[in-house]
Amino acid sequence: MVPAISSSTMLDESHRRCVSYGLSETARPDFSPIGRSDISLLVEQNRVLHTHALPVMETLYEQIVNTHNMVVLTDANGMIVDALGDDDFLEKANRVALQPGVNWSEEGKGTNAIGTAIVEKKPTLVHASQHYLVSNHFLTCSAAPIFSHQGKLIGVLDVTGDQRSFHQHTMALVRMSAQMIENQLFSAAFDDGITLHFHSRPEFIGTLMEGIASFTPSGRFLSANRIGLVQLGLPLPALQAHTFSSLFGMPVSALFDHYRTASPSLLTMCLHNGVRVHARAELRRSSMVFQNVSHAQPEAAQARPPEQPRNAAARRLSSLHYLNTGDTQMQRLIDKVGKVLGRDISILITGETGTGKDLLAQAIHNDSPRAGGPFVAVNCASIPETLIESELFGYEDGAFTGARKKGSVGKILQANGGTLFLDEIGDMPVSLQARLLRVLQERVVLPLGSSKSIPVNVAVICATNRNLRDMIARSAFREDLYYRLNGLVVKLPPLRERTDLEIVVNRLLLAESEGQPHKVSAEVMRMFKQHNWPGNFRQLSNLLRTAVVMLGEGEAEIGIEHLPDDFLEDLNAVAHQETAENIERVVNRASTLEDVEATVISRSLKAHGGNVSATARALGVSRNTIYRKMPQSPV
């Protein structure tokens, strides 16, 4: 079946351009990528685009996995920044260098979805022989351009695969994914003001069909996404002369008043052209927080940016969908969390240290209706007890000795309109727990030294590795606060109990790679599965980061020689313990010393995957001894 394609006029014009470029249909173009250091520079130059596109690419890839396809992201010039693909298609893709650092502009590769989409600035599908170069005829490619909030083309998202595996829905998936990236870029571009999500039908709020517009705290129009421009019915230059009031028939002060309520509903407003729309606003750091605080401390509202995931791995593991890597315990946990998103239900995350409680909290925020608002994390165990009150609630000028001049906005007000993550909540001083309970119940904050309460609208996620019920019994934690926080309690399983270790390792390695994919050897993976991981993901992530650094030039596989000594020592200590326990059991059952030796060696060899050297180290003997006393297979 021949797929629905881009217009013949568009493709004909592209082929004519290829002739003008001097390209020959039978030519073998240069498919060599730029150098590794240049690829790192390319990724850095497109860091914002890459950061926001990557989670979308991963979601898109999971929708087309095992279909002989790959997902490709390029910059505005057609240079591939990142690519994800099926192993069975990657070998074919390498023939035409669909990999980071290769340029797919029309001038170099002829008519292709990426290059032609850049020229036409439109979604483009090029199938099989529609490619100008014969060497690309085995491909089918669906690409959509990605535009910045200023309407400038900044990249292309593409799905390329074997032309025999073409699917009609691929183009639609690519276009929707590109729209998702544009919306996320738009949201990130305006972190100081008002962002309005609107549509004439309320059920479309929060979907890809919604219009998005941003304004300054005073109401001056800044920009709108492409769908927003269509709904507003005006081009971007004309909108620059407008304000929130002139476009939506409502003073911006009324918007602030609406969002001072604990659970604000959707707004209904009338556009300048008479069309009635429904809207939800995100009032960010310098809008509602500044508006509320200004009456009490006009110069104190120097809110710090919301805390972001600490490293590249954290940025990649940024959605519930991505955290679901096949473990049944995690599947059940994510299903539970998904049911309470946006329902104003507090979430309490428990689990051992290093199990990823902060990653889960960030993913919950990113998947919630508050995703465009701030995510503010507070580690209650890391802030001195004497400072935690001022850090949380803020203070006015002169509230206490050593206070910052002109005061400070606390973490709770910084999180207004978004999510407050209280990590290690079990370490919060009992004296402050009553104040936190009042904030959660009444949705107001009273800064230190102030007599004026400030309304606040936050979602709360807490985490702890302590047993809060035991603490309640010891009067170390308030029972009323506990029952206010535990709307939904979920427990993250430790790494040693999870069944998805191999997937987790590969994803963490992908996060650590800079254009160069890495993997662990089969022997190392066996060792990983034997380890107890007392530090859980924090330990695993640090180990992999160190191992990647230890790799030599051109090496891609992590072996035992790349692992840190303390990990190997821990593994050997566990093996020695298990061996001693096995020996005791064998001695109790064996009839002769030779039986004991043969059985112990056999079991130790099995435990170490047949590795004689590892077995000798575990038993404290030489390799020759192992060879001499190994049980012999019957002839």
Side-chain angles (χ1 to χ4, degrees), residues 150 160 275 358 392 440 496 614:
Q150 298 170 327
T160 290
V275 175
D358 54 344
L392 276 176
L440 299 180
R496 63 183 174 275

Side-chain angles (χ1 to χ4, degrees), residues 400-532:
F400 55 90
T401 302
R404 184 185 304 154
K405 189 177 180 181
K406 299 178 182 177
S408 173
V409 174
K411 297 286 189 181
I412 296 176
L413 282 177
Q414 288 182 34
N416 199 18
T419 301
L420 177 68
F421 174 48
L422 297 174
D423 198 6
E424 305 297 351
I425 186 66
D427 291 279
M428 175 175 284
V430 177
S431 59
L432 295 185
Q433 293 175 20
R435 288 200 64 185
L436 176 61
L437 180 62
R438 179 177 178 239
V439 171
L440 299 180
Q441 289 178 337
E442 301 179 13
R443 303 292 177 138
V444 294
V445 173
L446 182 65
L448 293 178
S450 174
S451 60
K452 183 178 178 62
S453 295
I454 303 171
V456 66
N457 179 12
V458 296
V460 177
I461 303 173
C462 296
T464 183
N465 58 10
R466 296 180 174 231
N467 188 320
L468 295 184
R469 289 184 180 273
D470 287 349
M471 294 182 67
I472 291 171
R474 302 194 313 270
S475 299
F477 199 86
R478 290 181 64 105
E479 188 173 14
D480 49 3
L481 177 59
Y482 173 77
Y483 287 112
R484 183 63 182 81
L485 295 176
N486 78 334
L488 173 67
V489 180
V490 292
K491 183 176 181 180
L492 280 170
L495 189 56
R496 63 183 174 275
E497 294 181 5
R498 292 182 56 157
T499 58
D500 55 352
L501 178 62
E502 193 162 347
I503 298 174
V504 169
V505 167
N506 289 334
R507 290 197 173 182
L508 287 174
L509 281 175
L510 185 62
E512 293 298 330
S513 301
E514 297 180 358
Q516 174 67 38
H518 299 105
K519 62 179 181 178
V520 300
S521 67
E523 185 174 9
V524 169
M525 185 58 70
R526 283 196 299 270
M527 297 171 73
F528 283 179
K529 290 178 179 179
Q530 293 169 3
H531 195 50
N532 284 328

Side-chain angles (χ1 to χ4, degrees), residues 1 58 126 248 268 270 319 352 451-452 474 544 608 621:
M1 180 180 67
E58 289 159 350
V126 180
F248 292 97
T268 300
C270 191
S319 71
E352 296 179 8
S451 60
K452 183 178 178 62
R474 302 194 313 270
L544 291 174
H608 290 88
V621 297

Side-chain angles (χ1 to χ4, degrees), residues 105 121 223 236 245 316 321 334 486 493 526 528 545 596 634:
S105 63
K121 293 182 170 57
S223 190
L236 190 58
S245 179
R316 292 175 66 86
H321 178 76
I334 290 170
N486 78 334
R526 283 196 299 270
F528 283 179
R545 187 178 300 116
V596 173

Side-chain angles (χ1 to χ4, degrees), residues 210-227:
E210 69 178 3
I212 308 177
S214 282
F215 302 84
T216 66
S218 63
R220 180 172 57 84
F221 176 85
L222 292 173
S223 190
N225 70 344
R226 285 193 284 165
I227 294 178

Side-chain angles (χ1 to χ4, degrees), residues 6 10 60 70-74 78 104 112-127 131 140-147 153 155-161 166 170-179 226:
S6 302
M10 179 190 295
L60 175 59
M70 66 189 305
V71 181
V72 176
L73 176 72
T74 79
W104 275 78
N112 70 90
I114 294 171
T116 305
I118 291 173
V119 175
E120 298 289 344
K121 293 182 170 57
K122 297 177 182 178
T124 303
L125 170 61
V126 180
H127 179 68
H131 288 88
T140 183
C141 310
S142 304
I146 301 169
F147 295 93
L153 188 144
V156 173
L157 183 68
D158 168 79
V159 168
T160 290
F166 174 81
T170 302
M171 187 74 246
L173 289 175
V174 173
R175 294 181 67 170
M176 288 192 302
S177 298
Q179 182 67 56
R226 285 193 284 165

